[in-house]
Amino acid sequence: MEGLAVSLEPRAFWAGRSVFVTGHTGFKGSWLSLWLASLGARVHGYALAAPTEPSLFETARVADRLASSTTGDIADLDRLRSALVRSEASVLFHLAAQPLVRDSYRLPLETLETNVLGTARALEAARSVPSLRAVVVVTTDKCYENREWCWGYREDERLGGHDPYSSSKACAELVTAAYRRSFFPPERYGDHGVAVATARAGNVIGGGDWASDRLVPDCLKALAEGRAVPVRNPASIRPWQHVLEPLSGYLLLARRLVEEGPDLGEAWNFGPAEEDDRPVEYLVRRLCSLWGGGRYEAARSDGLHEAGYLRLDCSKARSRLSWRPKWNLDEALERTVAWHRAYLRGDDLQALCLEQIADYEGASRS
């Protein structure tokens, strides 16, 4: 077993390290896989085919940077376990999920199956991997029971969820806590050697997101086609952040779990600075301005519940992990628009992703 060590620089820590990523063909999974590969890690992915057409996974040629890529359903425990054992990974990032609130109304059982039992299967597979040292299960800011408070939710707030997606992620948190206590208990760390944590992020934006019924992809598609941007809830406030922000938190958390053990094995918020909790209308106006023109119009509500106010308190990550966001919302929007303009021009998108990752690494923390 690796002993606890003095903290290494990120590149030295990840270089040559075997890492397993579930959901690597998705938006966040593709960015994370490219970032890990750029740090020198041997990245092994497990996921269904890319969930959108086009997709970041295909357009940025993510597969070219991977040590292996297994096409498989998170529901297939035997296939998942086999791929994870073969990888000899020391770190597991579990991102495989049904990630959309509105899709969960249409596919509630599939959402619960993927997000709850899928998490359980990932953790069950982890029990069979002697090389494993850290597991980071990615959930969401929507796992909290949203009371429309004006202050941010802390990690010890009550879990809940009005819709099937949000409740499935709250359940994933509970499943992870149960596996940690039952099979990876901190008091027996010397026997199993695995530290398990969860990570809750805000509303991520960035280049390569083509998911349906998501604000920024819908905006950029409408602007590129010269249509008015449809806006359902202009006054709703969300913790917007560039996708690299929470990913930096996941990477830092995983490294600290390996180096320091189970003391950090708990839930963590990775959200934007408070001033970047902005209403939908602000985001749409700013995107139209960055695009060089455009208009938006009210879209008829379909009656599905959507939270009006949601914020995260990231004090714990700031104080115990020394994690802070680097790019404010305007920078995040500028990077997102620049990426999509590059896509329309036919530029090398893998190179652009790696360039933005390098720029993020070099930025100072806010």
Side-chain angles (χ1 to χ4, degrees):
M1 183 189 304
E2 297 177 25
L4 303 187
V6 176
S7 182
L8 300 172
E9 287 301 311
R11 199 165 297 277
F13 174 84
W14 292 108
R17 185 175 296 274
S18 182
V19 182
F20 197 89
V21 180
T22 71
H24 70 293
T25 59
F27 170 57
K28 288 174 77 173
S30 292
W31 275 103
L32 178 60
S33 297
L34 284 175
W35 197 344
L36 283 163
S38 76
L39 292 169
R42 293 183 291 112
V43 184
H44 303 268
Y46 182 95
L48 296 173
T52 62
E53 175 56 46
S55 71
L56 177 60
F57 185 75
E58 297 292 342
T59 58
R61 309 186 316 282
V62 176
D64 294 350
R65 304 296 297 256
L66 303 178
S68 71
S69 179
T70 301
T71 301
D73 195 323
I74 198 69
D76 189 342
L77 177 58
D78 289 340
R79 186 169 177 80
L80 173 62
R81 182 190 286 120
S82 176
L84 184 52
V85 170
R86 285 197 311 272
S87 74
E88 298 183 329
S90 65
V91 176
L92 164 61
F93 290 101
H94 175 53
L95 282 76
Q98 192 296 95
L100 301 174
V101 170
R102 298 177 71 79
D103 275 3
S104 76
Y105 285 104
R106 185 171 57 87
L107 301 167
L109 294 181
E110 290 87 338
T111 299
L112 292 166
E113 167 73 28
T114 299
N115 295 355
V116 184
L117 292 180
T119 298
R121 291 188 181 98
L123 291 164
E124 183 65 20
R127 297 177 62 196
S128 302
V129 186
S131 58
L132 202 61
R133 296 293 170 262
V135 178
V136 176
V137 174
V138 174
T139 63
T140 176
D141 57 352
K142 296 172 185 64
C143 68
Y144 295 106
E145 183 176 312
N146 191 349
R147 303 182 184 183
E148 306 286 342
W149 285 333
C150 61
W151 55 83
Y153 291 88
R154 295 181 177 179
E155 290 86 347
D156 59 357
E157 304 280 4
R158 178 182 292 180
L159 300 175
H162 186 284
D163 54 86
Y165 168 77
S166 301
S167 62
S168 75
K169 287 299 194 173
C171 290
E173 289 278 350
L174 295 174
V175 166
T176 304
Y179 262 79
R180 179 170 50 229
R181 295 187 185 111
S182 300
F183 306 112
F184 306 110
E187 63 272 17
R188 298 210 313 268
Y189 180 71
D191 299 326
H192 58 74
V194 182
V196 180
T198 59
R200 306 162 180 177
N203 284 48
V204 296
I205 63 176
D209 186 2
W210 280 284
S212 60
D213 284 325
R214 278 171 56 85
L215 179 63
V216 172
D218 287 350
C219 283
L220 292 173
K221 182 178 180 181
L223 290 169
E225 295 174 356
R227 296 184 288 106
V229 175
V231 179
R232 287 192 303 269
N233 301 292
S236 293
I237 293 175
R238 298 285 186 274
W240 311 101
Q241 59 187 154
H242 193 276
V243 64
L244 295 181
E245 297 287 6
L247 295 185
S248 73
Y250 306 166
L251 290 168
L252 174 59
L253 176 58
R255 177 164 61 93
R256 295 280 298 274
L257 287 170
V258 172
E259 293 173 343
E260 300 175 36
D263 287 349
L264 299 175
E266 53 195 65
W268 298 87
N269 286 341
F270 296 105
E274 186 174 339
E275 59 268 22
D276 286 329
D277 296 338
R278 297 278 192 154
V280 166
E281 187 172 19
Y282 174 90
L283 203 77
V284 175
R285 285 181 179 274
R286 189 72 184 119
L287 281 171
C288 289
S289 175
L290 289 168
W291 195 262
R295 68 190 194 284
Y296 64 94
E297 61 185 14
R300 186 172 61 184
S301 172
D302 53 14
L304 299 180
H305 175 269
E306 293 189 62
Y309 207 89
L310 181 59
R311 282 181 167 157
L312 289 176
D313 184 326
C314 302
S315 301
K316 188 172 79 167
R318 288 198 301 271
S319 63
R320 292 179 59 192
L321 298 177
S322 298
W323 177 87
R324 286 175 176 77
K326 289 186 173 185
W327 287 349
N328 62 26
L329 180 56
D330 283 345
E331 176 80 9
L333 291 170
E334 289 170 10
R335 296 282 181 166
T336 301
V337 169
W339 197 101
H340 279 273
R341 286 199 177 280
Y343 165 73
L344 294 173
R345 291 194 302 268
D347 292 356
D348 184 337
L349 297 176
Q350 183 185 106
L352 179 56
C353 286
L354 295 173
E355 177 185 320
Q356 291 196 352
I357 288 169
D359 289 346
Y360 180 88
E361 290 177 325
S364 59
R365 295 199 179 276
S366 60

